[in-house]
Amino acid sequence: MRTALCETLGIEYPIIGFTPSEHVAAAISNAGGLGVLGCVRFNDAAELDRVLDWMDANTSGRPYGVDVVMPAKIPAEGTSVDLGKLIPDEHRAFVARTLRELGVPEPADEAGQAGVLGWLHSVARSHVEVALRHPIKLIANALGSPPVDVIEQAHAHGVGVAALAGKVEHARRHVGNGVDFVVAQGYEAGGHTGEIASMVLLPEIVDAVGDSVPVLAAGGIGSGRQIAAALALGASGAWTGSLWLATEEYLRTMPGSGAMQAALVAATSSDTVRTRIYTGKPARLLRTRWTEAWAAPDAPEPLPMPLQNLLVAPAHDRLQEANDPTLVSMPAGQIVGRIDRVRPVAEIVGDLVRDYQETLDRLDKTR
Amino acid sequence: MRTALCETLGIEYPIIGFTPSEHVAAAISNAGGLGVLGCVRFNDAAELDRVLDWMDANTSGRPYGVDVVMPAKIPAEGTSVDLGKLIPDEHRAFVARTLRELGVPEPADEAGQAGVLGWLHSVARSHVEVALRHPIKLIANALGSPPVDVIEQAHAHGVGVAALAGKVEHARRHVGNGVDFVVAQGYEAGGHTGEIASMVLLPEIVDAVGDSVPVLAAGGIGSGRQIAAALALGASGAWTGSLWLATEEYLRTMPGSGAMQAALVAATSSDTVRTRIYTGKPARLLRTRWTEAWAAPDAPEPLPMPLQNLLVAPAHDRLQEANDPTLVSMPAGQIVGRIDRVRPVAEIVGDLVRDYQETLDRLDKTR
């Protein structure tokens, strides 16, 4: 399983693994892929710096990347307190009532809950600045092109920039802005997604920009067969996410994730929903009693980014503390149906590679 | 491009092409695939009989199939006049008002519009009976398993039965009922679809029933790369539909389809919508001013099958007569974005085969 991307990024397999866990990211890089650490959880850039120090010490010089959340169009600023004033009382009341009705315990320490500030532009910029002090190979932006000066800053450090695209026009815009890798993210993907499925989206984006930049396939990839399909469709590599959530390494970073992992293992491919309730933009989440409550007729419309995440972030903390698989709020793709147990990262990578080779052998017989 | 399915069906390429046009179906079979003629347009079984006579005379003994619309669960009966009484006045008024607001001309001959009776169980059964008098190779049912006695009748004639599945549980049920081929139809497909995209759905269904029956991939297939992806995911062949609508042969059967073809050529992969307005069940259609009118806040909820189609069938005739690409009501998959001109069927088949071989050559280099 080798493409030109392996040379470009200095990796063994064209498997990019996005994860909010440094233990998972390091394990993916150590297994021959490229681990990409999600930075949105770091409200304090100094904490990210310490975690990247740990990555450097635990990846033996193997390449890794980081993922920031930097909206190109919404330069949201101000502290969470300022922005909080923009959240309607009706929405706060709905969240409080829903948590009560779902039987979620009261928070142990309300004051400690700052929300997730990584959605703010200034915080995302601080992530970039810190990350560029480390030997990262890639900065990915979960919300399309980062601002051009950020791309230039990355290039000045010899770091490539990747941006997610759900439509051909996004991909063209990213390449025009100087982005080095386009991640074609299909409808079936977890997190922010568009409406075009990978089978259609991927070759469209490859035809549009594939001569200029490598295109990575995101959405629906959890087996070597799916990597082979993505490469058949013209991708230079696979961008994966959901399948690293159900790993032993994930629990090391986030020990309170047992209920989330139980929910992933229990879920079928029908148990996700694409909704604006996580960030304000459409994102695919596990379908749970929390997402169902927001789908009820009496639920308010989700707020625009970044307000929606500021609204629900404290609720997410309480849902996590509830430790109940039916009350999880977690981005996950339709591939979750394939996750049937919690495994070590290296075992998953090994299976992907073996299944890929078997798929190519099988395809050879159709000539 | 050869799989075990080619032996089973006696075809050269594992490409099944669904189409309501006998000219297209014959051309697909003559080009080495399996043309499958949609029967729902034939209110009169004798007309289907004549068309199948034409197919027999124009396919030189090559295999072909038929597609019926037979709900397993809704044995809808009665004439369209009886059923018409179940359609609320509000719905009739909305259709009349919408057609007026869209500037659709009054019908030339209102009395001649019987609607599409192929949705009725008795009519679909008459299609099966007529088809079994012809040397068909396959009966596909667009709505899942046909009743078991219909499957047995087909088998008694040595004819295989195919059924569409949007979830693993559908596929298991079909195989339990005796179905011979499962068509795994992804979210991106035209016509009736579920919510799981092909990239995820296909290997799930292959893992569930692939040891018992061949699984065909439907949804998002319009190039050899996509056929290679489908086969990588475990399919034994490709079930295609939308790409045969923009063919020269289609115009021979349906000369009034110029506006529809113009709409297909103009559409991008973002220009479809999954809605219940065509039949009462979720189906993917081209997005036009007609579908937008039904998406407006003042539009009524679509009726259940088979009432919705009885309601809108006369409107479909008037929309077709309007000859305006922005007023088309047509099932089509997200693959429409790839359709850039009207072509002969044989040219499309040739491109699929060539692109498939090139894809396999490209994949070989990743070993």
Side-chain angles (χ1 to χ4, degrees):
Chain A
M1 193 199 287
R2 215 167 161 78
T3 68
L5 187 76
C6 297
E7 265 63 50
T8 308
L9 292 173
I11 54 182
E12 197 175 350
Y13 308 121
I15 300 171
I16 322 288
F18 164 78
T19 172
S21 152
E22 61 271 20
H23 293 90
V24 174
I28 293 169
S29 288
N30 288 331
L34 187 85
V36 173
L37 180 69
C39 295
V40 80
R41 74 173 228 247
F42 299 101
N43 286 356
D44 176 3
E47 192 195 346
L48 172 63
D49 204 14
R50 285 191 294 275
V51 164
L52 293 182
D53 281 341
W54 183 91
M55 288 283 293
D56 296 337
N58 286 277
T59 46
S60 317
R62 290 173 193 265
Y64 71 87
V66 297
D67 181 279
V68 298
V69 180
M70 199 175 262
K73 283 191 204 153
I74 309 165
E77 280 320 318
T79 66
S80 64
V81 176
D82 294 336
L83 287 165
K85 291 181 188 152
L86 300 174
I87 296 176
D89 290 342
E90 177 207 354
H91 284 74
R92 293 197 189 279
F94 171 79
V95 167
R97 186 173 75 241
T98 299
L99 290 170
R100 200 163 55 237
E101 286 171 3
L102 292 172
V104 176
E106 292 293 321
D109 175 17
E110 190 127 30
Q113 299 185 326
V116 178
L117 303 182
W119 303 105
L120 301 181
H121 200 73
S122 57
V123 177
R125 277 191 178 261
S126 75
H127 294 156
V128 171
E129 274 157 37
V130 163
L132 286 175
R133 285 185 231 136
H134 293 263
I136 59 169
K137 203 70 183 164
L138 183 76
I139 295 179
N141 186 25
L143 292 174
S145 288
V148 171
D149 72 289
V150 171
I151 298 175
E152 287 169 354
Q153 202 186 344
H155 288 173
H157 286 76
V159 172
V161 175
L164 266 64
K167 287 185 179 186
V168 162
E169 63 209 67
H170 301 162
R172 287 215 179 91
R173 192 162 60 226
H174 299 343
V175 172
N177 287 344
V179 158
D180 307 283
F181 306 88
V182 168
V183 182
Q185 168 121 333
Y187 170 81
E188 55 271 69
H192 292 121
T193 61
E195 299 205 59
I196 309 171
S198 291
M199 184 72 99
V200 170
L201 179 70
L202 190 46
E204 280 191 335
I205 289 187
V206 168
D207 287 350
V209 303
D211 285 344
S212 311
V213 298
V215 176
L216 306 176
I221 298 182
S223 70
R225 284 177 284 178
Q226 286 151 332
I227 297 180
L231 266 51
L233 294 170
S236 300
W239 177 276
T240 52
S242 303
L243 75 165
W244 312 112
L245 293 172
T247 57
E248 295 173 2
E249 288 86 347
Y250 192 90
L251 268 186
R252 264 176 245 158
T253 312
M254 259 78 83
S257 302
M260 182 275 283
Q261 291 190 328
L264 287 171
V265 168
T268 73
S269 55
S270 297
D271 295 325
T272 69
V273 59
R274 186 170 167 271
T275 167
R276 295 204 301 109
I277 69 170
Y278 199 78
T279 68
K281 287 178 183 283
R284 186 174 299 284
L285 311 182
L286 272 182
R287 188 197 307 271
T288 64
R289 291 197 291 143
W290 170 250
T291 64
E292 294 295 276
W294 278 91
D298 67 329
E301 279 297 300
L303 300 170
M305 180 177 280
L307 298 181
Q308 179 68 16
N309 192 269
L310 284 172
L311 169 67
V312 294
H316 289 170
D317 289 343
R318 286 178 58 188
L319 289 165
Q320 165 133 349
E321 281 165 22
N323 203 33
D324 176 345
T326 72
L327 286 176
V328 162
S329 177
M330 189 72 202
Q334 293 185 335
I335 195 63
V336 70
R338 189 158 286 278
I339 296 174
D340 57 2
R341 62 192 192 282
V342 175
R343 299 198 289 163
V345 165
E347 187 183 310
I348 296 175
V349 173
D351 279 0
L352 292 174
V353 174
R354 192 163 35 249
D355 187 32
Y356 181 82
Q357 297 296 350
E358 287 170 11
T359 302
L360 258 54
D361 291 345
R362 184 163 48 73
L363 281 180
D364 250 354
K365 300 193 185 111
T366 68
R367 279 172 184 275
Chain B
M1 194 200 286
R2 214 167 163 77
T3 69
L5 187 76
C6 298
E7 265 63 50
T8 308
L9 293 174
I11 53 181
E12 198 175 348
Y13 308 120
I15 300 171
I16 322 287
F18 163 78
T19 172
S21 152
E22 60 272 20
H23 293 91
V24 174
I28 294 169
S29 288
N30 288 331
L34 188 84
V36 173
L37 180 69
C39 295
V40 79
R41 74 172 227 247
F42 299 101
N43 286 356
D44 176 2
E47 192 195 346
L48 172 62
D49 204 14
R50 285 190 294 275
V51 165
L52 293 182
D53 282 342
W54 182 91
M55 289 282 294
D56 297 337
N58 288 278
T59 46
S60 319
R62 289 173 194 266
Y64 71 88
V66 297
D67 181 279
V68 297
V69 180
M70 198 175 264
K73 282 190 203 153
I74 309 165
E77 281 319 319
T79 66
S80 65
V81 176
D82 294 335
L83 287 166
K85 291 182 187 152
L86 300 174
I87 296 176
D89 290 343
E90 177 206 354
H91 285 74
R92 293 196 189 279
F94 172 77
V95 168
R97 186 173 75 242
T98 300
L99 290 170
R100 201 165 51 238
E101 286 172 3
L102 292 172
V104 176
E106 292 294 321
D109 174 18
E110 190 127 27
Q113 299 186 324
V116 178
L117 303 181
W119 303 104
L120 301 181
H121 200 72
S122 58
V123 176
R125 277 189 179 261
S126 75
H127 293 156
V128 171
E129 274 158 37
V130 163
L132 287 176
R133 286 187 229 135
H134 293 265
I136 60 168
K137 204 67 184 166
L138 182 76
I139 295 179
N141 186 25
L143 292 174
S145 289
V148 171
D149 72 290
V150 171
I151 298 175
E152 287 169 354
Q153 202 186 342
H155 288 174
H157 285 77
V159 172
V161 175
L164 265 65
K167 287 185 179 186
V168 163
E169 62 210 68
H170 301 162
R172 288 215 178 93
R173 193 161 62 224
H174 299 342
V175 172
N177 288 343
V179 158
D180 307 282
F181 306 89
V182 168
V183 181
Q185 167 120 334
Y187 169 81
E188 55 271 68
H192 293 122
T193 61
E195 300 204 61
I196 309 170
S198 291
M199 185 72 100
V200 170
L201 180 70
L202 191 46
E204 280 191 335
I205 289 187
V206 168
D207 287 351
V209 302
D211 285 344
S212 311
V213 298
V215 175
L216 306 176
I221 298 182
S223 70
R225 283 177 284 179
Q226 285 152 331
I227 297 180
L231 267 52
L233 295 170
S236 300
W239 177 276
T240 51
S242 304
L243 75 165
W244 312 110
L245 293 172
T247 57
E248 295 173 2
E249 288 86 347
Y250 191 91
L251 267 187
R252 263 175 247 158
T253 312
M254 260 78 82
S257 302
M260 182 275 283
Q261 291 190 328
L264 288 171
V265 168
T268 73
S269 56
S270 297
D271 295 324
T272 70
V273 59
R274 187 172 168 269
T275 167
R276 296 204 301 110
I277 70 169
Y278 199 77
T279 68
K281 287 177 184 282
R284 185 174 300 284
L285 311 182
L286 273 183
R287 189 198 306 271
T288 63
R289 291 197 291 143
W290 171 249
T291 64
E292 293 296 276
W294 280 91
D298 67 330
E301 280 296 301
L303 300 170
M305 182 179 279
L307 298 181
Q308 179 68 16
N309 192 268
L310 284 171
L311 169 67
V312 294
H316 290 171
D317 289 343
R318 287 178 58 186
L319 290 165
Q320 166 131 350
E321 282 164 23
N323 202 32
D324 176 346
T326 71
L327 286 176
V328 162
S329 176
M330 190 71 201
Q334 292 185 336
I335 195 65
V336 292
R338 189 157 288 278
I339 296 174
D340 58 1
R341 63 192 191 281
V342 175
R343 299 198 289 162
V345 165
E347 187 183 310
I348 296 174
V349 173
D351 279 0
L352 292 175
V353 173
R354 194 166 32 253
D355 188 32
Y356 181 82
Q357 297 297 350
E358 287 170 10
T359 302
L360 258 55
D361 292 345
R362 184 163 48 74
L363 280 180
D364 250 354
K365 301 194 184 108
T366 67
R367 280 172 181 276

